[in-house]
Amino acid sequence: MTAVVQTAPLGRAPLDFKEGGFRRNLKRHSTPYLLGLVGMAWLLILFVIPLISGLAVSLMSGNPQDGYTFTWNWSVYSDIFVNSDVPYVTFLIRGLVYAASATIVTIIVGFPLAYFIAFRVSRRWKNALLLLVTLSFFVSFVIRTDMWAFVLSDQGPVLTVLRDLHLASKDFHILGTAGAVIGGLAYNDLAFMVLPIYVALERIDPRLIEASADLYGNKTNTFMRTILPLTRSGIFAGVLLVFIDCAGDPVNASLLGGTHTYVIGQAIQDAYLTNQQYNVAAALSTILMIVLGIILFAYARIVGTDNIEDLV
């Protein structure tokens, strides 16, 4: 008589069907899913439900006096792009251009800063420098932007110094321009780029840099072929954080910009708070989220996310 022995797949713990074994197996295999329920509930409450409710509000008809009713009013989307006297498409494109420009600025400024902290600073000073990078977050976002407006104003220190050095005329202005808005966006979100890149740089094995030098690689080749590819995950995460945050921001354009720097974030804010066009504001928010989703999906497909889990 031949005995049948049940074996587990290679790499897995053998299943225990003895008394109490089933409960242990169930507890062991269900623990990751139970822990994931917290994150799923968080996404459901703070992302999925607001997204669905925003879409539902956009399909309503009515006014603030008589109220709004759900009527499947899909024409609000065509009215925004075709029949509206307000150039919402221009505001959307302008907001995306400002967000992309601010993202590029944060990469240009943030990568050398993260590289300096990761490779050129002793370990006892790294935490202090990282604290300085994030120190601005201890102050309100609106206050930071308002102080930036003071710095860039006509009587601010920047233009005062430039005029004293005869590098700027009296008619030259920074505040109220696209450059001021992009600068404010980059200033407020710089830490979102520095920290992910720093984490990616910290994970690089120093022996790889030594191997590049042993293979007669100069500093430029070592950086371009070794360091930069290994920080792709940090740059990817930083771009996501900065671009998404800047695309819908109404504060910087309101405090630092002018009539020619009006963006989609301001249009959503004014439609909701000033004009009380709740369906229009919800439709604009939905369109912005769809456009951002398409852009970020294309970006992820082009750049790739093979090593994004390294930051976790």
Side-chain angles (χ1 to χ4, degrees):
M1 186 174 181
T2 305
V4 178
V5 180
Q6 186 172 4
T7 59
L10 184 62
R12 297 182 180 178
L15 299 178
D16 186 3
F17 291 100
K18 296 181 181 180
E19 184 178 357
F22 178 76
R23 292 184 178 179
R24 289 193 297 270
N25 291 327
L26 180 62
K27 183 177 180 180
R28 181 173 65 251
H29 292 291
S30 63
T31 298
Y33 299 99
L34 293 175
L35 294 175
L37 287 177
V38 178
M40 294 300 295
W42 182 273
L43 291 176
L44 178 65
I45 296 173
L46 297 179
F47 180 75
V48 178
I49 293 178
L51 181 62
I52 296 175
S53 63
L55 179 61
V57 171
S58 70
L59 300 178
M60 291 182 177
S61 300
N63 54 67
Q65 290 74 27
D66 302 328
Y68 288 88
T69 56
F70 186 79
T71 58
W72 294 100
N73 182 28
W74 291 100
S75 62
V76 66
Y77 290 94
S78 61
D79 291 340
I80 288 175
F81 287 105
V82 180
N83 301 324
S84 177
D85 296 331
V86 182
Y88 289 115
V89 177
T90 302
F91 301 154
L92 175 61
I93 295 175
R94 184 181 295 156
L96 296 176
V97 171
Y98 287 175
S101 302
T103 303
I104 294 174
V105 172
T106 56
I107 294 176
I108 295 174
V109 177
F111 197 102
L113 179 58
Y115 183 90
F116 175 78
I117 298 175
F119 294 128
R120 302 300 181 185
V121 176
S122 62
R123 184 163 297 275
R124 67 173 183 171
W125 290 105
K126 288 184 179 182
N127 291 334
L129 292 178
L130 291 175
L131 177 63
L132 290 178
V133 172
T134 60
L135 190 61
S136 61
F137 288 105
F138 290 88
V139 182
S140 170
F141 177 80
V142 177
I143 295 177
R144 280 185 281 141
T145 308
D146 196 35
M147 292 304 299
W148 187 256
F150 166 75
V151 172
L152 299 180
S153 65
D154 292 344
Q155 292 78 30
V158 174
L159 278 181
T160 300
V161 173
L162 291 178
R163 287 167 181 165
D164 291 341
L165 296 175
H166 301 287
L167 298 177
S169 63
K170 294 182 179 180
D171 298 331
F172 180 74
H173 304 284
I174 299 178
L175 201 61
T177 64
V181 177
I182 295 172
L185 292 171
Y187 162 74
N188 281 304
D189 288 358
L190 180 61
F192 292 143
M193 183 65 69
V194 173
L195 296 180
I197 294 177
Y198 169 78
V199 173
L201 290 169
E202 273 286 290
R203 292 177 177 269
I204 296 178
D205 192 338
R207 292 176 296 182
L208 295 176
I209 301 177
E210 295 176 0
S212 176
D214 292 340
L215 294 173
Y216 303 101
N218 55 34
K219 293 182 179 180
T220 302
N221 290 333
T222 300
F223 176 80
M224 297 299 297
R225 298 189 179 186
T226 303
I227 297 177
L228 189 60
L230 293 175
T231 57
R232 185 178 62 178
S233 59
I235 298 174
F236 180 86
V239 168
L240 292 182
L241 293 173
V242 175
F243 183 78
I244 293 175
D245 188 59
C246 292
D249 174 64
V251 177
N252 283 274
S254 298
L255 297 179
L256 304 178
T259 57
H260 299 291
T261 60
Y262 197 85
V263 294
I264 188 65
Q266 291 175 281
I268 296 173
Q269 185 183 56
D270 290 341
Y272 187 81
L273 297 178
T274 305
N275 303 325
Q276 295 183 334
Q277 297 174 317
Y278 303 132
N279 56 341
V280 175
L284 291 173
S285 301
T286 303
I287 292 172
L288 177 61
M289 294 189 67
I290 293 174
V291 171
L292 286 177
I294 294 173
I295 292 175
L296 296 178
F297 177 78
Y299 170 72
R301 294 288 295 176
I302 295 173
V303 176
T305 59
D306 297 338
N307 298 321
I308 192 66
E309 66 275 5
D310 291 343
L311 294 178
V312 180

